[in-house]
Amino acid sequence: QQQVKQSPQSLIVQKGGISIINCAYENTAFDYFPWYQQFPGKGPALLIAIRPDVSEKKEGRFTISFNKSAKQFSLHIMDSQPGDSATYFCAASKGSSASKIIFGSGTRLSIRP
Amino acid sequence: DAGITQSPRHKVTETGTPVTLRCHQTENHRYMYWYRQDPGHGLRLIHYSYGVKDTDKGEVSDGYSVSRSKTEDFLLTLESATSSQTSVYFCAISVTKGGAGTGELFFGEGSRLTVL
């Protein structure tokens, strides 16, 4: 019940296309859903986050869609660029305590020029 | 980058030897974390600290110990390294606002450990 399941494991998208990464959770007590972006040789960095009181959050080309009833959330990257090539992790936690954050297994995204 | 420095960045060691990884932060953050990153497993919490000499176990703490004698340093020790501890280790801090956690983690650049 503590797991966050992420798919796909890897993804190749053409430049200008839409990249979509999906995550599912079981614990209905989760109330904070961040996405982290990691470039090779670097640590992950927070990209965007959502709380379950909204169904969508957009920041530039990055959008989180949240479906509370299905216990699913997804990251959409519009107009994908080669610079977006990275590993993306979804996560979930109850409350704002970082020690309670559960990460998904990661998606390696490659954008083809 | 939240002023986090990890050392060493790369280490190769033999099974059974002790290893200590160091995380140093310059911004006086209270909360510090050690994660390991493995393919197919994402990031898993090993131990965390909520102040000097205050630490607690995470999801995958077996075989690891930590110490925090100063606010700025959080040490992760493998008393007797095993091949299953080959991984990339990340230190992180979390930021608080008004005493409450924001949920956001800031990570160091990682320490790649290979146990032969």
Side-chain angles (χ1 to χ4, degrees):
Chain A
Q1 198 176 13
Q2 285 294 94
Q3 280 188 327
V4 177
K5 295 184 180 179
Q6 183 171 348
S7 63
Q9 188 173 358
S10 62
L11 180 63
I12 300 173
V13 175
Q14 289 294 125
K15 179 182 175 182
I18 303 173
S19 304
I20 302 174
I21 303 170
N22 300 299
C23 286
Y25 64 97
E26 295 181 359
N27 188 346
T28 56
F30 287 149
D31 59 2
Y32 175 64
F33 302 90
W35 284 87
Y36 281 79
Q37 179 188 54
Q38 182 183 30
F39 294 107
K42 302 293 185 182
L46 182 66
L47 181 63
I48 187 173
I50 196 169
R51 295 195 183 273
D53 51 344
V54 296
S55 60
E56 185 176 282
K57 183 173 182 180
K58 187 174 182 179
E59 290 185 3
R61 296 183 294 107
F62 299 89
T63 299
I64 299 178
S65 297
F66 185 79
N67 186 331
K68 189 173 182 178
S69 61
K71 292 185 283 186
Q72 295 176 347
F73 58 110
S74 59
L75 176 69
H76 291 65
I77 306 175
M78 311 300 287
D79 187 26
S80 300
Q81 299 296 313
D84 297 329
S85 297
T87 299
Y88 293 81
F89 294 96
C90 64
S93 71
K94 177 184 175 184
S96 297
S97 172
S99 66
K100 306 298 183 186
I101 291 177
I102 305 295
F103 286 89
S105 55
T107 296
R108 192 167 191 172
L109 174 66
S110 296
I111 307 301
R112 284 196 174 150
Chain B
D1 64 355
I4 301 170
T5 304
Q6 290 187 230
S7 60
R9 295 291 313 280
H10 300 272
K11 185 172 183 67
V12 179
T13 191
E14 305 238 331
T15 298
T17 59
V19 176
T20 295
L21 305 179
R22 180 186 184 228
C23 178
H24 179 78
Q25 55 125 339
T26 60
E27 298 183 359
N28 207 36
H29 294 291
R30 179 181 173 189
Y31 295 91
M32 299 183 75
Y33 308 81
W34 276 108
Y35 286 87
R36 60 177 290 174
Q37 182 178 2
D38 305 287
H41 291 277
L43 293 146
R44 292 180 291 175
L45 182 63
I46 305 171
H47 281 280
Y48 65 99
S49 170
Y50 42 93
V52 174
K53 297 186 179 179
D54 288 325
T55 64
D56 207 345
K57 296 179 180 180
E59 178 189 358
V60 289
S61 59
D62 287 349
Y64 303 94
S65 62
V66 290
S67 65
R68 192 162 178 208
S69 58
K70 298 185 290 184
T71 298
E72 58 265 37
D73 288 326
F74 191 32
L75 304 180
L76 177 70
T77 297
L78 292 66
E79 299 289 348
S80 178
T82 67
S83 59
S84 64
Q85 293 176 311
T86 292
S87 186
V88 181
Y89 291 86
F90 286 97
C91 175
I93 62 97
S94 61
V95 176
T96 56
K97 288 185 179 178
T102 62
E104 181 176 0
L105 289 164
F106 292 87
F107 288 86
E109 297 204 323
S111 295
R112 182 175 293 275
L113 176 67
T114 302
V115 183
L116 302 175

